[in-house]
Amino acid sequence: MSEFSQTAFIDWHDAFENGAYIPGSAQLPEQWSRESQVLREQLAAAGRLDADIAYGQDDRQTMDIARPEGASQGLVVIVHGGYWHKFDKSWWTYLARGCLAHGWSVALPSYRLAPTVPISRITQDMVEAITIASQRVDGPVRLTGHSAGGHLVARMLSEDACLPEPVFQRLVHVVPVSGIYDLRPLMAHPMNESLQLDLDQATAESPALHGPRTGVPLTPWVGTEERPEFLRQTRLLCEKWGAQLPEMNGVYEPGRNHFSVIDGLADADSPLVHCLLQLD
């Protein structure tokens, strides 16, 4: 029996429940969608949006690349969350605002979702999406992602990650936000009906259970007002990878919850954008 079985004393359902602890959370998806639609229309009108770029055969294996005014400084890839079974790129365009304002091109990929594919295939989707995006934008590459997206960008630095070496050599910073780095507790969560994790799969896809590739700065980021499990997950990754990545620093942003923490990407002056772009 797994140590994260349904008989565990921890209520894993509650541990990963964010919306119930954030007032007004039910209205947030509509707000994200509305703000993203406005920005997409603005970018398209200015000829600065490459929409629905295919990186695979499935309808969900597409991405948008938003381009800044003037010359691009390089590429930022923002990977969305949704516990690997919800949302797509169209909800999150608004998050590109902060990096666009500093002259960076921003790729926003969708990916196939559970239960259609296992998380291992979603990881591979991100390898393919980042590779294709890097072929379309010159310069250094920075990765960030939220929640499940935080997990996915951390996986790109796992020792068994399959990013092509030329792409890996262009990575200059990875900032997973509110990520989940040990997937084993999710086996005891009702969402595992969709994720369909067993112990082997959960172990294989957990960055904290593997060593990191070295040479790329990593900054796990989380809000201080998040559920305790997300704080624990960030501490765990820092503890597991810190010895091999001496440049690694976890950031606990005061006053931010699981949803407000990612809004920093939409603000050019936010600590999150300044960290991601290494402006300070």
Side-chain angles (χ1 to χ4, degrees):
M1 181 177 292
S2 163
E3 63 182 292
F4 295 106
S5 71
Q6 296 286 2
T7 59
F9 290 104
I10 296 175
D11 182 346
W12 291 110
H13 187 185
D14 184 68
F16 289 99
E17 176 56 52
N18 292 299
Y21 293 90
I22 300 173
S25 62
Q27 287 73 50
L28 288 175
E30 181 181 351
Q31 175 184 327
W32 301 331
S33 178
R34 182 174 61 252
E35 292 186 29
S36 293
Q37 180 63 27
V38 169
L39 182 56
R40 277 198 307 278
E41 291 174 357
Q42 293 172 344
L43 291 169
R48 294 166 47 205
L49 181 66
D50 302 334
D52 300 321
I53 301 164
Y55 65 84
Q57 299 300 313
D58 191 90
D59 289 345
R60 291 195 58 91
Q61 292 175 303
T62 63
M63 63 182 159
D64 297 337
I65 297 180
R67 299 185 182 271
E69 296 182 15
S72 174
Q73 300 294 312
L75 174 67
V76 174
V77 181
I78 299 176
V79 182
H80 73 80
Y83 282 128
W84 305 273
H85 69 276
K86 294 187 291 186
F87 297 122
D88 61 44
K89 60 184 173 62
S90 67
W91 299 80
W92 309 104
T93 312
Y94 82 99
L95 295 178
R97 289 196 301 241
C99 294
L100 288 172
H102 287 286
W104 287 76
S105 298
V106 179
L108 298 115
S110 293
Y111 46 83
R112 292 174 292 177
L113 299 177
T116 304
V117 297
I119 291 177
S120 60
R121 295 285 183 87
I122 300 173
T123 297
Q124 189 59 37
D125 278 1
M126 288 303 94
V127 171
E128 298 297 331
I130 293 166
T131 300
I132 295 298
S134 71
Q135 294 169 358
R136 288 176 168 261
V137 180
D138 294 332
V141 178
R142 301 175 186 273
L143 307 180
T144 188
H146 177 236
S147 198
H151 159 267
L152 291 167
V153 298
R155 282 287 287 129
M156 299 302 102
L157 286 189
S158 296
E159 59 190 355
D160 62 331
C162 298
L163 275 178
E165 191 62 24
V167 179
F168 184 82
Q169 290 301 321
R170 289 172 59 189
L171 288 182
V172 295
H173 200 192
V174 177
V175 182
V177 181
S178 306
I180 303 171
Y181 310 113
D182 180 355
L183 274 56
R184 293 175 298 173
L186 294 170
M187 293 189 298
H189 193 288
M191 79 173 77
N192 202 37
E193 293 182 11
S194 292
L195 302 181
Q196 300 181 349
L197 290 167
D198 59 24
L199 184 58
D200 288 343
Q201 293 165 345
T203 300
E205 288 300 313
S206 294
L209 304 183
H210 302 273
R213 294 185 71 176
T214 60
V216 179
L218 174 69
T219 308
W221 193 284
V222 69
T224 60
E225 301 304 313
E226 300 212 34
R227 302 289 294 132
E229 177 60 13
F230 286 89
L231 300 174
R232 185 191 75 86
Q233 290 271 343
T234 298
R235 288 194 300 270
L236 176 65
L237 188 67
C238 291
E239 291 167 0
K240 293 289 188 177
W241 283 15
Q244 294 169 266
L245 298 176
E247 71 277 21
M248 176 180 179
N249 291 296
V251 176
Y252 297 79
E253 186 174 7
R256 296 285 185 163
N257 62 46
H258 190 71
F259 298 136
S260 64
V261 69
I262 197 62
D263 282 341
L265 287 176
D267 179 0
D269 296 323
S270 73
L272 178 55
V273 166
H274 277 241
C275 173
L276 174 62
L277 301 182
Q278 296 171 304
L279 298 175
D280 300 325

